[in-house]
């Protein structure tokens, strides 16, 4: 009975840990290279139809991105909304998948060499 109780507690801890990891870890950013972009142009807007028949709009961007050393890479990604012009983004890029995630950042949070290239 004691072994069953201990096994049950261990299983609960493992499942709880997995649920917490899924909630607080963004797996799209793990192992990704970080680049910085500035929204300087209007996106290419397309409307698509989902499998359930509803329509949605995608905003396609193709901008130069710079890593912390100032090296340039073309960043092609899409958003579900029109991003604010002159906004700075931290973009996460993986070799096999391209841009996997992004978030808006303040200019002061961008590494110096990347910030110089974005201006």
């Amino acid at each position: 009975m004691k072994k069953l109780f201990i096994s049950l507690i261990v299983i609960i801890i493992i499942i709880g840990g997995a649920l917490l990891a899924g909630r607080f870890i963004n797996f799209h950013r793990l192992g990704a290279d970080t680049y910085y972009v500035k929204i300087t142009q209007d996106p290419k807007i397309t409307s698509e139809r989902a499998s359930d028949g509803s329509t949605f709009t995608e905003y396609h961007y193709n901008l130069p991105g710079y890593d912390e050393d100032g090296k340039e890479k073309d960043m092609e990604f899409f958003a579900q909304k029109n991003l604010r012009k002159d906004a700075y983004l931290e973009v996460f890029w993986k070799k096999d998948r391209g841009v996997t995630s992004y978030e808006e950042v303040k200019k002061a949070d961008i590494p110096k060499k990347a910030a110089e290239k974005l201006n």
Side-chain angles (χ1 to χ4, degrees):
M1 184 71 174
K2 188 175 182 180
K3 288 182 183 179
L4 179 64
F5 181 70
I6 291 173
S7 298
L8 186 61
I9 296 296
V10 168
I11 290 171
I12 290 172
I13 290 172
I14 290 171
I15 291 172
L19 290 173
L20 283 174
R23 172 78 173 125
F24 294 107
I25 297 174
N26 187 338
F27 292 101
H28 294 291
R29 296 179 183 188
L30 287 179
D33 296 329
T34 304
Y35 290 86
Y36 300 90
V37 301
K38 181 178 181 181
I39 305 298
T40 57
Q41 58 189 344
D42 292 327
K44 177 184 173 192
I45 301 170
T46 59
S47 291
E48 309 261 339
R49 186 169 300 277
S51 59
D52 66 359
S54 63
T55 60
F56 61 94
T57 303
E58 287 185 335
Y59 300 86
H60 296 264
Y61 292 89
N62 193 349
L63 300 163
Y66 301 93
D67 67 7
E68 63 184 17
D69 296 325
K71 294 180 184 168
E72 182 177 343
K73 180 174 280 303
D74 186 42
M75 296 286 122
E76 186 174 339
F77 62 99
F78 66 91
Q80 295 178 348
K81 64 179 185 174
N82 193 1
L83 300 175
R84 184 173 58 83
K85 248 202 180 152
D86 295 327
Y88 293 94
L89 301 180
E90 182 177 30
V91 177
F92 300 91
W93 183 87
K94 292 184 180 181
K95 183 178 182 179
D96 58 338
R97 295 180 59 203
V99 174
T100 57
S101 182
Y102 64 86
E103 72 177 320
E104 187 171 344
V105 294
K106 296 177 183 174
K107 185 178 179 181
D109 296 336
I110 298 174
K112 185 178 179 180
K113 290 181 181 178
E116 288 172 357
K117 299 280 186 164
L118 290 171
N119 289 328

